[in-house]
């Protein structure tokens, strides 16, 4: 099944987006939406920040502004429940609430909205007391907190999009495999299973900008093999969307495509990918293999790992 | 012992050997082991860890009276201090150019050169020279140091991620070892080695300072970073297989537990022993996690750590 690409470009952290939101600049937001839709985004994430005062006005404005130009479902991304509800009321397609975590407060605020509006909801396996460091700890939060709240508030499990919380390989290198395993386990927790998602670019936080797309997409391929249904990603990055396409169509007509599918298949078979057969004389393939070894914690990450 | 089988791990990697000194000067070799610290039953540990004594180019300010009384007037002159350190069993001298710091005297390249000349003439031990820790001053004085010590193969530091080119370049041209300092960050440690080797520092001329926290001040991080670096190196990662240097003494004696006076608070026990034990435990911990050289400050803790290393190396 094709990976659902949630376009991340409308994000308040961008100064231009922030300015456009403040001045209600429709054209700027609509342009960002159209660009992502053209590049193959399946959902558009609308990150408006907390917007404590005006959230209930900003979110519906964003939703309506985008719906004028893009026919895609939307991901309403704010911690402000009033803003989410105001947005949900005007969504034309089944929206995605982004997000709840596994704390009672957030579950109590967001799950009733998911139930009332029959929306999907991203649920981070994160509670107070620190970030879970194992796949098991993430699964425990999902079953004991998230699913319990879902049952309590009447949200079907298949509307829950579990997010294992991705951490950067620069400093938390062992966590790549833990999050991959968490996704694998999430898919086995119920029938029908929950959906899974992640904030992809977190895997390359604090890495040099020119390395990040490579790290992101190799991690995406592994996660997809383990059962990831969707990811919040940059649809304007050609190579990322190319990887999504290659996995979707099983296009092995290029050496890169063959390698991507090899990695995907290894993870689908619950194995790691053995890079020993990769043609290291091809710079593109060699960079992919080196990145696989970073994700598999076989070689220690350093900014200059591609040089070695 | 009947029936006890000792589990043996086969490692693919080996710690690089870095030589200091040589020629008329005593030579030490750091590294060379292909197993975890002191596990001589598992692999080869050709060179026991080195114990260096740290001295300064300037009479220390703010030091514990316990330390000062151990050295007496020697602290007024680096050459005298180095000689005394040699008498107390130092296997290398680590000279910190404190006076070059802009707030500690702001001395320049000429003073640094003279100090190094004097210390090199006073003792035949291998030398480590550490700059004042301010980038532009480090570069100015360490270039002069490198030139003064040409042919003596000393270790010069620090090379840091933001400032490594100048020191690395003089280490290359004058044949010294470069000390690569990273702030308790395994990924940066590796990155710095990549940067240094990339501009031409031979891999057998890099010593890693992974940073050290004293007992009670992040020693557990110092330990786990060293363990992870060493496991990666023995697992075959050549970019972290350089020997490790730890400034155990300076870190331990900076802490209030080492410095506080007798009876402050009463439960802390003998002030005479406390700082020495603090330093000893800090050094022992980093040695057990793979440090190949520790720099220390008190003669008594030096003596104890040397004896412990001796025993851990399986010697009688």
């Amino acid at each position: 099944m094709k990976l659902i690409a949630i376009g991340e470009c409308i994000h308040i952290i961008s100064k231009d987006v922030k300015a456009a939101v403040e001045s209600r600049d429709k054209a700027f937001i609509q342009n960002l939406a159209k660009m992502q839709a053209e590049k193959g985004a399946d959902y558009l994430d609308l990150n408006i920040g907390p917007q404590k005062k005006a959230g209930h006005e900003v979110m519906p404005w964003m939703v309506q502004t985008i719906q004028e130009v893009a026919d895609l479902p939307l991901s309403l991304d704010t911690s402000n429940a009033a803003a989410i509800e105001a947005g949900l009321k005007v969504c034309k397609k089944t929206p995605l609430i982004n997000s709840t975590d596994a704390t009672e407060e957030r579950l109590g605020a967001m799950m009733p909205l998911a139930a009332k509006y029959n929306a999907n909801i991203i649920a981070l396996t994160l509670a107070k007391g620190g970030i879970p460091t194992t796949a098991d700890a993430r699964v425990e939060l999902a079953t004991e907190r998230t699913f319990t709240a879902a049952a309590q508030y009447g949200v079907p499990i298949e509307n829950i999009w579990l997010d294992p919380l991705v951490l950067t390989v620069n400093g938390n290198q062992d966590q790549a495999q833990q999050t991959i395993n968490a996704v694998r386990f999430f898919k086995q927790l119920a029938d029908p299973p929950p959906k899974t998602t992640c904030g992809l670019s977190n895997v390359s936080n604090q890495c040099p900008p020119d390395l990040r797309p490579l790290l992101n997409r190799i991690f995406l391929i592994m996660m997809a093999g383990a059962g990831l249904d969707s990811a919040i990603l940059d649809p304007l990055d050609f190579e990322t969307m190319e990887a999504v396409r290659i996995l979707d169509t099983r296009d092995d007509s290029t050496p890169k495509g063959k390698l991507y599918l090899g990695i995907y298949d290894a993870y689908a078979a619950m194995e790691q990918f053995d890079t020993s057969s990769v043609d290291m004389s091809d710079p593109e393939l060699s960079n992919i293999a080196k990145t696989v070894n970073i994700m598999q914690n076989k070689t220690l990450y350093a900014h200059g790992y591609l040089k070695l | 012992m009947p029936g006890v089988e000792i589990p043996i791990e086969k490692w693919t990697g080996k710690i690089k050997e870095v030589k200091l000194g040589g020629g008329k000067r005593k030579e030490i070799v750091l590294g060379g082991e292909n197993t975890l610290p002191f596990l001589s039953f598992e692999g080869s540990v050709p060179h026991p860890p080195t114990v260096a004594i740290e001295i300064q180019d300037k009479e220390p300010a703010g030091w514990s009276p316990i330390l000062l009384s151990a050295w007496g007037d020697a602290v007024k002159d680096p050459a005298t201090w180095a000689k005394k350190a040699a008498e107390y069993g130092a296997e290398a001298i680590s000279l910190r150019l404190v006076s070059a710091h802009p707030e500690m005297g702001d001395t320049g390249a000429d003073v640094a050169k003279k100090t190094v000349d004097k210390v090199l003439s006073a003792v035949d031990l291998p030398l480590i020279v550490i700059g004042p820790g301010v980038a532009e001053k480090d570069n100015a004085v360490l270039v002069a140091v490198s030139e003064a010590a040409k042919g003596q193969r000393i270790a010069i530091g620090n090379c840091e991620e933001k400032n490594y080119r100048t020191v690395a370049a003089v280490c290359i041209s004058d044949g010294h070892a470069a000390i690569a300092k990273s702030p308790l960050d395994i990924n940066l440690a590796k990155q710095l080695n990549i940067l240094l080797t990339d501009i031409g520092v031979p891999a057998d001329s890099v010593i890693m300072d992974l940073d050290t926290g004293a007992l009670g001040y992040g020693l557990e991080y110092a330990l786990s970073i060293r363990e992870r670096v060493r496991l990666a190196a023995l697992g075959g990662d050549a970019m972290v297989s350089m020997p490790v240097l730890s400034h155990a003494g300076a870190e331990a004696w900076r802490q209030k537990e080492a410095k506080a006076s007798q009876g402050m608070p009463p439960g802390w026990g003998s002030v005479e022993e406390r700082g020495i034990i603090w330093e000893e435990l800090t050094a022992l911990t980093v040695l057990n996690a793979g440090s190949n050289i520790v720099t220390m400050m008190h003669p008594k803790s030096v003596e104890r750590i040397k004896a412990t290393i001796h025993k851990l190396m399986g010697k009688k």
Side-chain angles (χ1 to χ4, degrees), chain B residues 218-232:
Chain B
L219 185 58
E220 59 276 32
Y221 292 104
L223 176 104
S224 80
I225 285 274
R226 277 160 186 72
E227 278 183 343
R228 288 168 62 204
V229 163
R230 192 47 52 97
L231 289 171

Side-chain angles (χ1 to χ4, degrees), chain A residues 170-171 300-301 303-304 307, chain B residues 186-187 190-191 198 237 239:
Chain A
N170 182 13
L300 186 60
Y301 174 82
H303 294 331
K307 286 188 186 176
Chain B
I186 187 171
N187 306 110
K190 178 169 177 177
Q191 176 65 6
D198 217 39
D237 191 332
M239 254 325 132

Side-chain angles (χ1 to χ4, degrees), chain B residues 130-311:
Chain B
I130 307 291
V134 179
E136 63 267 33
K137 288 307 301 283
D138 274 352
N139 292 343
V141 296
L142 293 175
V143 168
V145 166
S146 174
E147 208 178 288
K150 194 166 181 169
Q152 313 270 348
R153 189 148 169 93
I154 66 171
I156 302 181
N158 291 318
C159 292
E160 300 189 53
E161 194 202 12
K162 297 269 185 285
N163 185 53
Y164 65 92
R165 287 173 185 275
T166 305
V167 174
V170 294
C171 284
I172 296 167
S173 61
D174 295 332
H176 300 307
I179 298 171
K181 182 170 181 180
S182 50
L184 288 171
D185 181 325
I186 187 171
N187 306 110
L188 267 184
K190 178 169 177 177
Q191 176 65 6
L192 191 50
N193 291 342
I194 295 174
L195 294 172
L196 288 173
T197 49
D198 217 39
I199 62 166
V201 181
D204 66 357
S205 296
V206 177
I207 299 168
M208 292 190 281
D209 175 355
L210 303 168
D211 214 352
T212 304
L215 175 62
Y217 297 85
L219 185 58
E220 59 276 32
Y221 292 104
L223 176 104
S224 80
I225 285 274
R226 277 160 186 72
E227 278 183 343
R228 288 168 62 204
V229 163
R230 192 47 52 97
L231 289 171
L234 293 175
D237 191 332
M239 254 325 132
V240 286
S241 67
M242 293 70 172
V244 172
L245 171 145
S246 302
H247 292 298
E251 282 304 320
W253 285 100
R254 266 189 336 126
Q255 309 309 340
K256 63 176 184 294
E257 287 83 353
K259 289 204 279 196
S261 320
Q262 184 71 41
M264 297 288 288
W268 281 12
S270 157
V271 66
E272 296 285 337
E273 270 294 311
R274 198 193 302 136
I276 294 168
I277 294 174
W278 220 261
E279 178 176 29
E280 192 187 345
L281 279 176
T282 302
L284 187 59
T285 305
V286 292
L287 284 167
N288 273 322
S291 292
N292 299 91
I293 177 166
V294 286
T295 71
M296 302 187 63
M297 287 179 154
H298 197 287
K300 193 76 199 166
S301 27
V302 168
E303 187 190 324
R304 291 180 188 172
I305 284 294
K306 282 182 70 180
T308 304
I309 290 172
H310 196 74
K311 283 188 219 156

Side-chain angles (χ1 to χ4, degrees), chain B residues 57 95 97 99-101 105-118 129 131-132 136-149 166 170:
Chain B
D57 67 341
L95 168 66
L97 298 175
S99 78
H101 194 282
D106 205 20
T107 57
D110 50 336
V111 170
K113 180 187 177 309
K114 264 185 219 154
T115 307
V116 167
D117 278 338
K118 275 170 64 179
V129 180
E136 63 267 33
K137 288 307 301 283
D138 274 352
N139 292 343
V141 296
L142 293 175
V143 168
V145 166
S146 174
E147 208 178 288
T166 305
V170 294

Side-chain angles (χ1 to χ4, degrees), chain A residues 253-304:
Chain A
S253 63
T254 61
K256 180 177 77 178
K258 209 172 268 175
L259 183 50
Y260 281 180
L261 290 167
I263 299 166
Y264 176 91
D265 291 344
Y267 277 80
M270 304 196 343
E271 286 162 10
Q272 297 215 324
F273 182 71
D274 179 1
T275 56
S276 60
S277 60
V278 176
D279 173 10
M280 298 302 273
S281 67
D282 180 319
E284 186 179 36
L285 302 185
S286 140
N287 285 349
I288 292 170
K290 286 173 182 173
T291 307
V292 166
N293 285 330
I294 293 291
M295 292 299 163
Q296 295 183 163
N297 211 3
K298 291 273 191 314
T299 48
L300 186 60
Y301 174 82
H303 294 331

Side-chain angles (χ1 to χ4, degrees), chain B residues 54-61 63 78 81 95-96 98 297:
Chain B
E54 173 166 337
I55 66 171
Q56 298 189 355
D57 67 341
K58 182 180 194 285
E59 191 174 346
W63 272 27
W81 195 350
L95 168 66
R96 202 179 281 266
V98 175
M297 287 179 154

